[in-house]
Short mmCIF file of all heavy atoms in Angstrom, two decimals:
data_model
loop_
_atom_site.label_atom_id
_atom_site.label_comp_id
_atom_site.label_asym_id
_atom_site.label_seq_id
_atom_site.Cartn_x
_atom_site.Cartn_y
_atom_site.Cartn_z
N SER A 793 3.40 10.76 -6.62
CA SER A 793 4.34 11.23 -7.63
C SER A 793 3.57 11.59 -8.84
O SER A 793 3.86 12.61 -9.52
CB SER A 793 5.38 10.12 -7.91
OG SER A 793 6.21 10.51 -8.93
N GLY A 886 20.04 -5.95 -53.33
CA GLY A 886 18.95 -6.59 -52.67
C GLY A 886 18.40 -5.82 -51.51
O GLY A 886 17.62 -6.30 -50.76
N ARG A 999 36.93 26.05 -56.50
CA ARG A 999 37.40 27.42 -56.58
C ARG A 999 37.70 27.98 -55.12
O ARG A 999 37.63 29.14 -54.86
CB ARG A 999 36.36 28.30 -57.25
CG ARG A 999 36.09 27.86 -58.64
CD ARG A 999 35.35 28.87 -59.48
NE ARG A 999 35.04 28.32 -60.75
CZ ARG A 999 34.64 29.11 -61.87
NH1 ARG A 999 34.48 30.36 -61.69
NH2 ARG A 999 34.33 28.50 -63.02
N GLU A 1057 39.33 -4.10 -62.08
CA GLU A 1057 40.44 -3.61 -62.85
C GLU A 1057 41.70 -3.72 -62.02
O GLU A 1057 42.75 -4.04 -62.56
CB GLU A 1057 40.19 -2.29 -63.50
CG GLU A 1057 39.15 -2.26 -64.58
CD GLU A 1057 38.84 -0.89 -65.13
OE1 GLU A 1057 39.00 0.04 -64.36
OE2 GLU A 1057 38.35 -0.81 -66.27
N GLY A 1133 8.97 -3.07 -54.14
CA GLY A 1133 9.73 -2.29 -53.15
C GLY A 1133 9.52 -0.80 -53.47
O GLY A 1133 10.47 -0.11 -53.86
N ARG A 1135 7.93 3.14 -52.06
CA ARG A 1135 7.53 3.92 -50.96
C ARG A 1135 6.01 3.84 -50.71
O ARG A 1135 5.62 3.66 -49.54
CB ARG A 1135 7.95 5.40 -51.20
CG ARG A 1135 7.56 6.28 -50.00
CD ARG A 1135 7.93 7.79 -50.30
NE ARG A 1135 7.27 8.26 -51.50
CZ ARG A 1135 6.08 8.87 -51.48
NH1 ARG A 1135 5.42 8.97 -50.29
NH2 ARG A 1135 5.58 9.32 -52.58
#
Side-chain angles (χ1 to χ4, degrees):
S793 177
R999 302 192 183 195
E1057 289 177 336
R1135 179 182 61 87

